[in-house]
Amino acid sequence: MSFLSRCCCTSTVILNVRRHVTINIAQTYFKGQRSIFNCLHMWKMKPASFIQSAITGLRGTTTVTLSTRKGITPSSRKVVGYWLLGCSGMVFGAVVLGGVTRLTESGLSMVTWKLFGEKVPFTKLEWEDEFQKYQQYPEFRIKNKNITLEQFKWIWWMEYGHRMWGRAIGAVFIIPATVFWACGWLKPGMKKRIIAFGTLIALQGLMGWYMVQSGLEDRFHGDSDVPRVSQYRLATHLSLAFILYTLLLWSAFDHLLPAQRLTEAASASARRFRWLTHTCKGMIFLTALSGAFVAGLDAGLVYNSYPKMADKWIPDDIMAFTPKVRNITENPTTVQFNHRLLGTSTLALISGMWLLSRKLKLPPRAHTAAAAVAVMGWTQVILGISTLLLYVPVPLAASHQSGSLVLLSLAVWLTHELKYIKRLPK
């Protein structure tokens, strides 16, 4: 302070009071000689007393500007909530579009990948060049030798649309997230979620290209080999999408539809019921994951009868591969059998959960959500059986895949409504 008292100074102090304090002292003149120093001092200080002492210690003409950022308000929470809901809706759309891309066998039409998007062919020469690239890979050589340029354009646009939709998700997420973070509209816990969401979106894009690469590799040499992406990578790609969607939807519910609380302590039966609903949600996810293996191996085309498989409850070729463990993820017969078994088990569990919910005292919306899960569970099974019996028509198969995500959404809603069932009311 003795140093400042000897100075004749004109200072501009800009204080941004939130969690950090920034003091910028510029244009300092020393006694006897004029020198200008541009310096920036930053302190992360909480006590307001430090600010007051710093201001008091300055001599001369001082301008102090205090600006406090607007914190989290009910309106800002709604804005963030609708943004999260919009992002989850876009992920839902990506899953549907990806399913249609897979069902129409369009996923291997684009043989290159660029981070910010591939150049769109416009002239006939550009389309022919793109078509020639496609002709160098196994899908054309083995399966699509007779495809025309016009047919190639159609599958190319399908894959292009899926990729650009994924990039749009990244933009719709990262730009508002940056703004909301800067405005202080995100709680510390929400900031961690935002980082997790961004990481999952990036991983999803990378896994998508890694999956496509598996279908472009020169590994299809057998007489019965069909060029397709790895079912393992397809299942991973779908799982990441489901996880991202679930987390975004849960966070949107936190902002837009907070869970209701009971006016009295939850019973032990209600707390056990809560764990049952989480089990149902896990089984729905697991069944959807097995569906990815069905799609990856075209296993929906091997036994198109129900409830038996070729007039047998357990088909003869269910353990045809060696070692035996390979059958679980590589034998189309076993993969379809497992999907049937998981679907039936999940439906039975959901039905039991709904019947039990009617006897328990739960938050009002939880009863509605339980009934919705039960109705959608039966609808999903009917869609699956119809898809199988009709030899996997694209519209019905796409509806079945979308139905799995709708069912998961309702299960997320139900478990979210029960999030306070484990706690005593305050």
Side-chain angles (χ1 to χ4, degrees):
M1 300 307 299
S2 59
F3 171 78
L4 289 175
S5 63
R6 291 195 302 266
C7 297
C8 177
C9 64
T10 302
S11 306
T12 301
V13 181
I14 300 174
L15 302 177
N16 185 359
V17 181
R18 185 164 177 77
R19 296 175 61 191
H20 307 294
V21 179
T22 303
I23 299 180
N24 185 5
I25 303 176
Q27 295 181 344
T28 304
Y29 295 88
F30 285 92
K31 186 178 180 180
Q33 63 176 355
R34 182 174 180 177
S35 303
I36 300 176
F37 293 86
N38 292 319
C39 54
L40 181 65
H41 301 277
M42 298 190 69
W43 292 274
K44 290 184 178 181
M45 305 285 291
K46 289 184 178 179
S49 58
F50 174 80
I51 302 173
Q52 184 62 38
S53 62
I55 296 173
T56 305
L58 294 175
R59 295 292 185 266
T61 303
T62 304
T63 302
V64 179
T65 304
L66 299 179
S67 62
T68 304
R69 286 180 180 174
K70 189 176 181 180
I72 300 173
T73 63
S75 59
S76 68
R77 279 185 61 83
K78 282 190 175 182
V79 171
V80 173
Y82 283 120
W83 165 66
L84 291 168
L85 188 63
C87 288
S88 67
M90 290 190 71
V91 175
F92 187 103
V95 172
V96 174
L97 187 56
V100 174
T101 301
R102 175 72 188 93
L103 289 166
T104 56
E105 299 179 340
S106 306
L108 298 177
S109 57
M110 297 181 70
V111 297
T112 59
W113 185 84
K114 295 180 180 179
L115 181 61
F116 297 107
E118 295 76 13
K119 181 182 177 181
V120 178
F122 287 108
T123 66
K124 183 178 180 180
L125 186 62
E126 289 174 338
W127 274 113
E128 289 176 349
D129 181 61
E130 193 71 25
F131 192 27
Q132 287 177 0
K133 292 178 184 177
Y134 174 69
Q135 292 172 354
Q136 299 172 16
Y137 289 89
E139 185 175 69
F140 175 83
R141 297 199 308 266
I142 299 174
K143 186 179 178 182
N144 287 342
K145 287 183 179 180
N146 298 321
I147 191 175
T148 64
L149 179 60
E150 291 303 315
Q151 292 172 327
F152 169 73
K153 287 181 181 180
W154 192 85
I155 62 173
W156 191 93
W157 280 116
M158 282 293 301
E159 173 64 7
Y160 179 79
H162 182 51
R163 293 190 186 189
M164 293 308 295
W165 187 263
R167 293 183 176 101
I169 292 174
V172 169
F173 173 80
I174 193 65
I175 296 173
T178 304
V179 173
F180 297 153
W181 192 305
C183 290
W185 287 6
L186 305 175
K187 293 181 179 180
M190 193 63 218
K191 290 180 179 179
K192 294 177 182 178
R193 294 189 194 184
I194 293 299
I195 295 173
F197 297 156
T199 302
L200 282 171
I201 290 172
L203 287 175
Q204 179 72 343
L206 293 173
M207 178 52 67
W209 173 240
Y210 184 56
M211 176 189 70
V212 169
Q213 275 189 321
S214 66
L216 301 176
E217 295 169 353
D218 188 18
R219 59 185 178 89
F220 307 97
H221 304 294
D223 295 335
S224 59
D225 283 352
V226 178
R228 57 165 67 100
V229 299
S230 163
Q231 68 271 26
Y232 298 105
R233 300 183 193 182
L234 175 62
T236 304
H237 187 51
L238 186 65
S239 298
L240 286 173
F242 272 46
I243 292 170
L244 175 62
Y245 172 78
T246 300
L247 295 176
L248 285 168
L249 187 62
W250 183 280
S251 297
F253 283 149
D254 282 342
H255 287 74
L256 300 175
L257 195 67
Q260 296 173 321
R261 296 175 183 265
L262 288 172
T263 56
E264 57 189 38
S267 64
S269 298
R271 290 194 294 270
R272 287 193 294 269
F273 177 78
R274 175 176 172 270
W275 285 110
L276 176 61
T277 60
H278 280 287
T279 303
C280 289
K281 183 173 66 174
M283 285 294 292
I284 292 168
F285 180 86
L286 187 61
T287 305
L289 179 61
S290 74
F293 283 92
V294 172
L297 293 171
D298 292 324
L301 298 172
V302 292
Y303 286 96
N304 298 93
S305 59
Y306 190 86
K308 292 184 178 181
M309 300 173 72
D311 297 325
K312 293 184 178 181
W313 291 107
I314 301 177
D316 296 331
D317 58 341
I318 197 169
M319 285 293 169
F321 291 10
T322 54
K324 299 297 183 183
V325 70
R326 285 182 55 209
N327 290 279
I328 299 174
T329 55
E330 297 182 15
N331 185 342
T333 299
T334 313
V335 167
Q336 189 192 119
F337 179 83
N338 290 340
H339 190 58
R340 292 182 182 215
L341 187 61
L342 282 169
T344 305
S345 302
T346 302
L347 181 62
L349 193 63
I350 287 173
S351 300
M353 178 273 297
W354 173 70
L355 291 172
L356 184 59
S357 71
R358 302 182 65 187
K359 302 177 181 180
L360 297 174
K361 184 175 179 58
L362 302 171
R365 285 200 304 259
H367 288 285
T368 305
V373 170
V375 170
M376 190 61 215
W378 280 94
T379 303
Q380 177 68 354
V381 169
I382 292 171
L383 281 172
I385 295 173
S386 302
T387 301
L388 183 70
L389 296 178
L390 296 175
Y391 293 88
V392 197
V394 172
L396 203 55
S399 299
H400 181 53
Q401 180 171 313
S402 304
S404 66
L405 203 50
V406 173
L407 181 56
L408 182 62
S409 304
L410 294 172
V412 170
W413 177 34
L414 174 58
T415 52
H416 188 270
E417 290 297 335
L418 299 173
K419 66 184 293 187
Y420 295 121
I421 210 74
K422 62 183 177 179
R423 303 174 186 174
L424 295 176
K426 297 180 180 179

